[in-house]
Amino acid sequence: MILVFNHFLVLSCCFLFVYTAFCLSSDGFTLLSLSRHWTSVPSSIISDWNASDPTPCSWLGIECDNTTHRVVAVNLTGFKISGKLGPEVGQLSFLQTIDLSNNGFFSEVPSQLGNCTLLDSLDLSVNGFTGEIPENFKQLKALRFLNLCSNSLSGEIPESMFHTSSLEYVFLNQINFSGSISRHISNLSEVIELRLYVNQLSGVIPEPIGNCSKLEGLYLHDNQLVGSLPRSLTILKLESLVYLYVSNNSIEGRIPLGFGNLKNLSILVLSFNDSIGGLPPDLGNCSSLTKLAIAYSNLTGSIPFAFSLLHKLNYFFLSGNRLSGPIPESIGNCSRLEYLNLDGNQLVGSLPESLTNLESIV
C-alpha cells in the first residue's frame, strides 16, 4: 500500500513539472486579460500573443528580464488599439516601462497602475483617457518619465505629483487641467523638462519654482496664469534653463532683472500677456538667446542698446506693443537675425542703415 502511494506521488510530481514548464506564466495570463478589454486589436497582436507559449517574452511589444522572465516593458505605441486599460495592469509588478501612446484608449486611468512600483517610464499620451490622475500615483517612487499629454483628463494636478522627487520629464500638456501650480513644485529637484501648456491652469507661477535647479525647459504657455514672473526664474540656481515659454496668459508686472544670469537661455517667449512693462537691459547678457518673442504684451520704453550683444539671435518679435524711441543702430550687430518684427509700436526715426548688414533677414 505504501509502495502504491509512493508511485502516485512521483507521478503527481512529474505531472506538476510538465504543467509548470508548458503552461503560460502569470504575466502572460495578465496580458491576455488586458487584451480582453480592447475593442479593437491589430491582427499582429492577435497572431503573436499565443496562449500556448510558456512566457510572453517573445510576444510583440513585450520585453522580459532575461533571468526571471518577468515582464519589464510593454511598448505598444501606435498600434491603433482601442478600448480600456484594465485594472489587471497592476498585477505586472515587475514593470519598468509602459508605452501605450498614440492609440485609442479611453475611460479612466486605472488606479492599480500605482501598484507597479518599479515603473521608471509611463507614457499614455495621445489617447482618450478621462477622469483624474489617480491619487495613488504617489506610490511610483522610481518614476522618471511621465507623459500623459493629449488626453481628456480633468480636475487639478494632484498634490502627490509634486512629491515624486525622482521625476525628470513631466509632460502634462493639452489635458484640460484646472487649478493652480502647487508651491511644492520645488520638491521636483530632478526635473529637467516640465510641460504644462494648453491647460486651464490659473493663479500665479509659484516662486519656489526657482529651486528646480536642473530645469532646462519650462512650458507654461496657453493657460490662465496671472501675477508677475517670479524673480526666482532669474537666479543662478536656474542656470541650466534653455527654454522658457509663458505666452498666452494674463501675466503682468515688469520682467524681473536678472535674466542676464541665464547664460544658457536660448528661447524666451512671453507674447500675448497683459502688461510686461519694459525690456530689462540685462537681457542683452543672454549670450545664447536665439529667439526673443514678447509681442502684444503692452511693452513700454525703448529697445535697449545692449540687445546688440545678442549675436546668436535669429528671431526677434516685439510687435503690437507701445515701444517708443528709435530703432537702435546697433541692431545691425545681430548678424544671424533672420526674422525681425517691430510692427505696431510707437517707434520714431528712420530705419538704421545697419539693417543692410543683415543678409539673412527675411
Side-chain angles (χ1 to χ4, degrees):
M1 187 71 177
I2 296 175
L3 183 62
V4 172
F5 177 79
N6 286 341
H7 277 296
F8 176 78
L9 185 62
V10 170
L11 286 172
S12 298
C13 291
C14 289
F15 177 76
L16 182 62
F17 171 78
V18 171
Y19 179 81
T20 304
F22 294 98
C23 181
L24 181 61
S25 68
S26 60
D27 282 357
F29 276 118
T30 298
L31 289 168
L32 290 180
S33 296
L34 283 172
S35 68
R36 294 189 187 105
H37 293 279
W38 303 344
T39 55
S40 176
V41 187
S43 57
S44 55
I45 288 181
I46 293 174
S47 61
D48 200 65
W49 287 25
N50 195 333
S52 63
D53 292 335
T55 74
C57 300
S58 61
W59 291 1
L60 188 65
I62 306 302
E63 181 182 338
C64 293
D65 180 89
N66 291 330
T67 303
T68 64
H69 305 295
R70 300 299 300 269
V71 173
V72 295
V74 176
N75 186 345
L76 298 174
T77 180
F79 272 75
K80 298 182 179 179
I81 299 169
S82 63
K84 298 180 180 181
L85 178 57
E88 296 91 342
V89 69
Q91 299 172 23
L92 298 173
S93 55
F94 283 76
L95 265 181
Q96 299 172 24
T97 300
I98 302 178
D99 189 347
L100 302 179
S101 59
N102 291 280
N103 281 293
F105 285 99
F106 54 83
S107 192
E108 295 183 349
V109 177
S111 61
Q112 289 82 359
L113 261 175
N115 298 332
C116 302
T117 55
L118 299 181
L119 266 181
D120 171 85
S121 177
L122 173 60
D123 193 340
L124 303 180
S125 61
V126 196
N127 279 288
F129 286 108
T130 57
E132 300 184 1
I133 296 178
E135 184 64 29
N136 68 349
F137 267 32
K138 62 186 177 184
Q139 297 170 200
L140 304 178
K141 301 297 185 183
L143 198 63
R144 293 187 309 108
F145 181 91
L146 175 64
N147 190 352
L148 302 179
C149 80
S150 298
N151 278 288
S152 299
L153 299 174
S154 58
E156 300 185 9
I157 302 173
E159 185 68 24
S160 59
M161 190 69 62
F162 298 104
H163 292 276
T164 308
S165 57
S166 58
L167 281 169
E168 296 178 6
Y169 296 91
V170 182
F171 301 156
L172 300 178
N173 48 289
Q174 297 164 285
I175 289 179
N176 203 33
F177 281 133
S178 58
S180 59
I181 303 172
S182 172
R183 289 182 60 83
H184 292 116
I185 195 169
S186 59
N187 292 331
L188 302 182
S189 56
E190 301 297 317
V191 70
I192 295 172
E193 193 160 320
L194 180 60
R195 299 184 183 181
L196 301 178
Y197 63 87
V198 191
N199 282 295
Q200 298 182 44
L201 297 174
S202 56
V204 300
I205 303 171
E207 191 74 31
I209 200 168
N211 294 324
C212 301
S213 58
K214 296 183 179 180
L215 197 60
E216 295 180 7
L218 179 59
Y219 303 80
L220 302 176
H221 52 286
D222 294 278
N223 278 289
Q224 300 169 16
L225 298 170
V226 298
S228 57
L229 294 172
R231 293 189 61 83
S232 63
L233 285 176
T234 64
I235 60 178
L236 288 174
K237 281 187 179 180
L238 285 181
E239 59 185 6
S240 299
L241 195 64
V242 178
Y243 310 105
L244 178 59
Y245 289 82
V246 197
S247 57
N248 285 291
N249 281 287
S250 297
I251 300 296
E252 57 186 359
R254 291 189 171 274
I255 300 173
L257 289 171
F259 268 99
N261 295 325
L262 306 179
K263 302 299 182 184
N264 293 306
L265 188 64
S266 176
I267 295 178
L268 175 61
V269 181
L270 304 176
S271 300
F272 297 98
N273 277 291
D274 282 356
S275 181
I276 297 293
L279 291 166
D282 70 338
L283 271 176
N285 296 329
C286 296
S287 53
S288 299
L289 206 60
T290 61
K291 180 176 182 177
L292 177 60
I294 315 179
Y296 298 95
S297 295
N298 283 311
L299 276 174
T300 57
S302 59
I303 301 174
F305 173 85
F307 278 25
S308 62
L309 301 174
L310 301 174
H311 298 301
K312 294 183 179 180
L313 198 63
N314 298 127
Y315 302 87
F316 193 23
F317 298 143
L318 298 179
S319 56
N321 287 295
R322 292 184 291 144
L323 293 170
S324 57
I327 302 173
E329 182 72 32
S330 58
I331 200 77
N333 295 333
C334 301
S335 57
R336 298 187 184 181
L337 203 59
E338 297 179 10
Y339 298 93
L340 173 64
N341 191 337
L342 304 176
D343 185 49
N345 281 285
Q346 300 168 16
L347 299 168
V348 298
S350 57
L351 290 174
E353 290 186 11
S354 62
L355 288 178
T356 59
N357 300 329
L358 304 178
E359 297 178 356
S360 301
I361 202 162
V362 176

